[in-house]
Amino acid sequence: MREGTFSAVTDGDAPQVDVLGIKISRRGKEFMSEMVKIAEIFGKNVFNEVVMKERLPKSVFKKMKKTMEDGVELDPSIADVVAHAMKEWAIERGATHYTHWFQPLTGVTAEKHDSFISAPDTEGRVIMEFSGKELIKGEPDASSFPSGGLRATFEARGYTAWDCTSPAFLREDAIGVTLCIPTAFCSYKGEALDQKTPLLRSMQAIDGQALRILRLFGNTRAKRVCPSVGPEQEYFLVDRAKYLQRKDLIYAGRTLFGAMPPKGQELEDHYFGAIRERIGSYMKEVNEELWKLGVTAKTQHNEVAPAQHELAPIYDQANLAVDHNQMVMETLKKVAGRHGLTCLLHEKPFAGVNGSGKHNNWSLTSDDGVNLLSPGETPHENIQFLLVLGCILKAVDIHADLLRESAADVGNDHRLGANEAPPAIISVFLGEQLEDVIDQLCSTGEATHSKKGGTLRTGVATLPDLDQDATDRNRTSPFAFTGNKFEFRMVGSSDSIAPPNVVLNTIVAEAFKEAADELEAAEDFDTAVHDMIKHLLKEHKRIIFNGNGYSNAWVEEAEKRGLPNIRSMVEAIPALTTKKAVKLYEEFGVFTRAELESRAEVEYEAYSKVINIEARTMIDMASKQIIPAVIRYTTHLAASLNGVKTACPEADTSVQAELLVETSDMLSDMKVALANLIDITEKCGAMEAGMIQAHAYHDKVVPAMEALRTPADRLEMIVDKELWPFPSYGDLIFEV
């Protein structure tokens, strides 16, 4: 800070302090101290470029930097030097163990901790060692993780391989300080068993093809093009004591029973509302924990549903964004426990209010600072942007099924299609400005102008006039252009963002390749690129939709256009193994056919297992909690009814009698539905795992679960609250 450049507002008679010759209040000083604290803690637990530069020999640092920035193969000769520096740095900060931190196909991260302790020396003193081999490679048991048949129980060996493009970090918690080394995870034969490996492969694919596009337009400076991603993480917070009283939240992560309270989200008073102190304290600690890990947590606010919130970081390259989002989810859950809360990442923990998504903001940026998705002030004149846009429309149109599948999980089946979540139909929102440019090109062959935003005048003299964007936004679109990026809004809140980014990178790489192949061979580039843009826009204009994605009219219109409407996870999974998908992924080395088939099998099994757990949890809650509670209520009601009749025969007991009959009838309905769910669940559970079983769970068990829930939720509105066996929706979402 320079003297004379800071002007502070004083707090009335608050005491003044002198900072660099400037008089500011003590509250101002506290604010400045907080800002200094953020700067001091940010990245303190990350073995980042600054730390490496300080601790590595110049030659070693240079080789590491080249690997990280240029994507060249890591020189194995420097591994021991890097490992030693990393160990010394970690131990200085209290680390006793290290772990290869990886992302198997379980939906969460995995880790095995090893201490730095080696065999004692001859005098019994402990030796702390960490070799380059231990840094680069680990060997977890591959058969114990989902592999979709790639690994059998007797084929246990798997490998974790250090991803040096994602920096190692220290995690501080009750177990102590642990050095976490981001790694890829593959089988003994080299098949990808994780989320990171195909992501890195897809980043290589789009890098090479995007550079070809840039070269066509004369850019010889750029050496790399990297997808940038900014995921917005939504989540719910509930009181932990109440959470522990609900078996459905414990086992399934969502409420399987529950009647809506008198108030939900209809008053729209929670969105961007004042953050309660308990939640604010939690958010403050979450931010600090994430900043230490180098995660650029920037935005926090209340979301639409009661007890729902959002955290968003600044954009980062896709690989780091995926790793950081896993850290975000882990941190949200870990810190919640310290505040007597539980963080729910399920896509639909409560019926009747908004679910949680993870909007995946995706763009392409070159290392010389060019955003390939930036239209500029005059998009109609930006030929490079129009070609990139046309290629992306083509990619999304041709591979809409793959994009939909990348966001398919069990929880998302409950979320998509309502309450501000996008519909299951993939379409692209471009806004008025770009749609107008496309209409000009498609109708006349030339685009001569671009719509301008103009000025927004509030009509209040004391308020400034604001620059108005050239287009509105659309919250019902699954894939929306928002200025210089695309926002894929379909991703579920509990999911890894790796799969959607693998798909986006690969399908756009294919479109870029096909465009570059043709344009590189053209005799007249200007004419060829102009004709190609018109062709791409005309051919794939059907994927563009700027209207209301929730309307029935759009469902009908989408069917006329031939756009797929894939409503459930089990319907989406086959997209992984079509001839089109296999050809796409094998051409760019992202997946082999065997890897795709294994992932499809993993997803079918995951679907069946999740629904089976939910069904068994409902059976348990209905049998041991709800039905006994209703019986107690009807018993009390019957006794009360008989008591009134005995004490006062002339009294009107029709209300009690009606309640007793109504409750008993619903209890009977519930018992029938319970018996049906037990029978169907047992039959489906006995089936061989795979596609047929998953469809059986979807077609038979899910409706049976709903049939059991209906009378139970009606009974909750009748039975005495003191007798109801677990906290209600109102208790959970309004009493945080």
Side-chain angles (χ1 to χ4, degrees):
M1 182 188 296
R2 294 179 299 169
E3 239 180 284
T5 61
F6 179 78
S7 176
V9 177
T10 61
D11 300 315
D13 295 327
Q16 303 287 297
V17 294
D18 189 281
V19 180
L20 295 179
I22 304 168
K23 298 289 184 181
I24 64 173
S25 70
R26 291 199 182 278
R27 290 183 187 174
K29 183 182 178 183
E30 291 170 3
F31 170 76
M32 291 175 64
S33 297
E34 190 69 22
M35 297 305 292
V36 170
K37 177 184 175 183
I38 294 172
E40 287 177 348
I41 69 173
F42 189 84
K44 66 175 288 189
N45 287 346
V46 184
F47 193 72
N48 53 28
E49 189 174 317
V50 173
V51 177
M52 285 190 283
K53 190 173 184 179
E54 291 175 351
R55 292 177 173 264
L56 296 177
K58 286 185 179 180
S59 60
V60 174
F61 174 71
K62 188 176 180 180
K63 289 180 179 179
M64 277 293 299
K65 192 172 174 65
K66 190 169 183 64
T67 295
M68 292 186 296
E69 292 187 352
D70 297 341
V72 301
E73 187 175 350
L74 176 70
D75 184 347
S77 67
I78 69 171
D80 280 331
V81 179
V82 176
H84 177 76
M86 192 182 291
K87 179 203 71 174
E88 293 297 305
W89 169 79
I91 290 175
E92 286 173 16
R93 283 155 178 75
T96 57
H97 289 69
Y98 69 91
T99 181
H100 277 194
W101 183 79
F102 59 102
Q103 301 170 38
L105 302 179
T106 56
V108 295
T109 57
E111 53 198 59
K112 178 185 72 172
H113 296 196
D114 289 296
S115 74
F116 291 114
I117 296 175
S118 185
D121 62 15
T122 55
E123 298 180 4
R125 292 174 302 190
V126 70
I127 299 174
M128 308 290 273
E129 290 185 344
F130 184 52
S131 68
K133 181 180 179 182
E134 290 169 318
L135 169 63
I136 290 175
K137 188 179 82 171
E139 292 191 24
D141 187 345
S143 64
S144 298
F145 291 100
S147 70
L150 291 177
R151 294 271 83 190
T153 303
F154 68 91
E155 297 174 316
R157 194 181 297 277
Y159 297 114
T160 49
W162 177 35
D163 172 22
C164 63
T165 64
S166 183
F169 60 93
L170 298 176
R171 188 170 57 209
E172 301 171 313
D173 50 30
I175 204 171
V177 182
T178 306
L179 172 64
C180 299
I181 303 160
T183 56
F185 178 42
C186 62
S187 75
Y188 179 69
K189 297 178 182 178
E191 297 105 338
L193 298 176
D194 67 340
Q195 305 286 17
K196 180 181 284 283
T197 303
L199 177 68
L200 293 173
R201 293 171 180 172
S202 73
M203 291 173 67
Q204 287 181 177
I206 198 164
D207 174 30
Q209 301 307 319
L211 278 176
R212 293 177 68 191
I213 298 296
L214 290 180
R215 297 288 186 263
L216 285 167
F217 289 91
N219 184 335
T220 58
R221 304 177 306 278
K223 296 179 181 178
R224 290 190 70 194
V225 175
C226 185
S228 297
V229 176
E232 305 166 29
Q233 179 70 56
E234 295 176 342
Y235 60 96
F236 280 81
L237 290 173
V238 297
D239 184 86
R240 183 157 184 80
K242 296 185 177 78
Y243 162 86
L244 291 173
Q245 296 176 56
R246 297 220 34 150
K247 293 182 180 180
D248 47 5
L249 287 180
I250 293 171
Y251 297 137
R254 75 178 181 102
T255 53
L256 301 171
F257 296 103
M260 277 295 293
K263 177 188 176 185
Q265 64 187 49
E266 60 270 23
L267 292 182
E268 300 170 334
D269 54 344
H270 190 258
Y271 188 54
F272 280 21
I275 297 171
R276 299 177 189 175
E277 286 202 11
R278 186 182 186 186
I279 304 304
S281 175
Y282 163 79
M283 288 179 170
K284 181 176 184 293
E285 186 174 355
V286 166
N287 286 333
E288 290 175 354
E289 290 288 321
L290 291 175
W291 291 336
K292 290 177 188 177
L293 296 170
V295 179
T296 54
K298 181 175 177 63
T299 302
Q300 60 190 29
H301 60 84
N302 290 345
E303 256 298 335
V304 174
Q308 187 186 32
H309 312 278
E310 181 178 298
L311 181 152
I314 298 173
Y315 292 78
D316 216 327
Q317 69 176 46
N319 181 31
L320 281 176
V322 170
D323 287 359
H324 284 175
N325 185 248
Q326 290 291 343
M327 296 179 201
V328 166
M329 291 191 287
E330 291 174 6
T331 302
L332 287 171
K333 290 188 285 187
K334 177 179 68 175
V335 174
R338 300 174 186 168
H339 292 258
L341 300 165
T342 294
C343 176
L344 303 177
L345 294 175
H346 194 283
E347 286 74 18
K348 198 73 171 179
F350 303 102
V353 297
N354 273 23
S356 294
K358 183 147 45 190
H359 304 160
N360 187 88
N361 294 278
W362 178 88
S363 63
L364 292 171
T365 308
S366 66
D367 58 357
D368 64 340
V370 176
N371 183 341
L372 276 68
L373 297 183
S374 178
E377 294 295 321
T378 53
H380 68 284
E381 297 176 337
N382 192 337
I383 304 302
Q384 178 178 295
F385 167 75
L386 291 174
L387 177 62
V388 169
L389 178 64
C391 287
I392 292 173
L393 292 175
K394 173 184 177 180
V396 174
D397 187 17
I398 291 175
H399 297 290
D401 57 342
L402 272 180
L403 199 55
R404 167 67 179 91
E405 196 284 329
S406 73
D409 70 21
V410 189
N412 240 2
D413 280 4
H414 302 285
R415 166 181 168 257
L416 296 179
N419 297 112
E420 298 187 26
I425 304 167
I426 295 288
S427 63
V428 177
F429 169 82
L430 292 180
E432 296 175 10
Q433 185 187 58
L434 292 182
E435 187 177 37
D436 178 62
V437 171
I438 289 171
D439 286 342
Q440 292 178 60
L441 286 167
C442 291
S443 59
T444 67
E446 297 289 339
T448 59
H449 63 274
S450 297
K451 286 186 175 181
K452 301 297 181 183
T455 301
L456 179 65
R457 292 180 172 84
T458 62
V460 180
T462 56
L463 296 180
D465 292 335
L466 304 174
D467 291 335
Q468 187 179 40
D469 290 315
T471 186
D472 204 345
R473 298 182 69 180
N474 189 327
R475 294 180 65 85
T476 71
S477 175
F479 197 67
F481 185 73
T482 55
N484 58 2
K485 58 185 172 61
F486 277 99
E487 182 182 29
F488 185 38
R489 298 173 55 86
M490 192 175 275
V491 187
S493 53
S494 67
D495 256 4
S496 166
I497 59 170
N501 287 295
V502 168
V503 172
L504 283 170
N505 295 343
T506 312
I507 64 177
V508 175
E510 179 189 56
F512 282 171
K513 179 184 182 299
E514 292 171 355
D517 286 346
E518 183 176 334
L519 293 174
E520 286 170 354
E523 294 182 4
D524 183 345
F525 172 76
D526 290 340
T527 301
V529 72
H530 187 267
D531 291 344
M532 178 177 286
I533 290 170
K534 286 192 295 183
H535 173 75
L536 288 171
L537 298 178
K538 284 184 178 180
E539 187 74 14
H540 303 287
K541 190 178 179 182
R542 67 171 187 165
I543 200 70
I544 301 171
F545 179 66
N546 290 344
N548 180 9
Y550 292 162
S551 68
N552 291 330
W554 168 233
V555 175
E556 296 172 5
E557 173 63 22
E559 186 176 358
K560 292 177 183 176
R561 296 187 187 188
L563 301 179
N565 185 2
I566 304 172
R567 295 175 175 85
S568 69
M569 178 178 174
V570 293
E571 294 175 78
I573 295 172
L576 283 171
T577 52
T578 62
K579 290 182 179 179
K580 178 184 63 173
V582 173
K583 177 180 178 296
L584 166 77
Y585 285 126
E586 288 192 335
E587 179 178 5
F588 292 99
V590 175
F591 287 117
T592 64
R593 177 186 292 275
E595 288 171 332
L596 288 169
E597 291 173 348
S598 73
R599 273 166 164 70
E601 186 173 331
V602 166
E603 292 195 16
Y604 281 128
E605 289 185 8
Y607 184 88
S608 297
K609 289 174 180 177
V610 169
I611 299 300
N612 185 56
I613 290 169
E614 291 187 349
R616 289 167 58 194
T617 301
M618 289 190 80
I619 291 166
D620 189 83
M621 292 175 72
S623 302
K624 298 177 182 178
Q625 293 182 290
I626 299 177
I627 288 177
V630 177
I631 290 174
R632 284 195 295 272
Y633 174 72
T634 54
T635 301
H636 292 327
L637 191 59
S640 174
L641 178 62
N642 291 330
V644 171
K645 285 183 176 180
T646 301
C648 186
E650 67 276 11
D652 182 1
T653 57
S654 59
V655 173
Q656 295 96 314
E658 287 175 8
L659 273 175
L660 183 59
V661 171
E662 182 182 4
T663 306
S664 298
D665 286 347
M666 280 190 282
L667 181 61
S668 177
D669 292 342
M670 189 175 172
K671 187 67 175 68
V672 171
L674 174 62
N676 184 51
L677 179 60
I678 292 171
D679 179 58
I680 291 174
T681 302
E682 287 179 352
K683 288 177 180 177
C684 290
M687 298 173 67
E688 184 178 352
M691 179 181 69
I692 295 175
Q693 184 189 49
H695 275 279
Y697 272 103
H698 177 267
D699 298 340
K700 297 179 180 179
V701 176
V702 171
M705 290 168 60
E706 188 59 35
L708 176 58
R709 176 170 184 161
T710 299
D713 288 356
R714 290 175 61 197
L715 284 165
E716 184 182 348
M717 300 301 295
I718 297 175
V719 174
D720 186 342
K721 180 173 174 58
E722 296 301 317
L723 295 176
W724 198 251
F726 40 76
S728 67
Y729 270 24
D731 299 330
L732 289 165
I733 64 178
F734 285 106
E735 299 179 15
V736 183

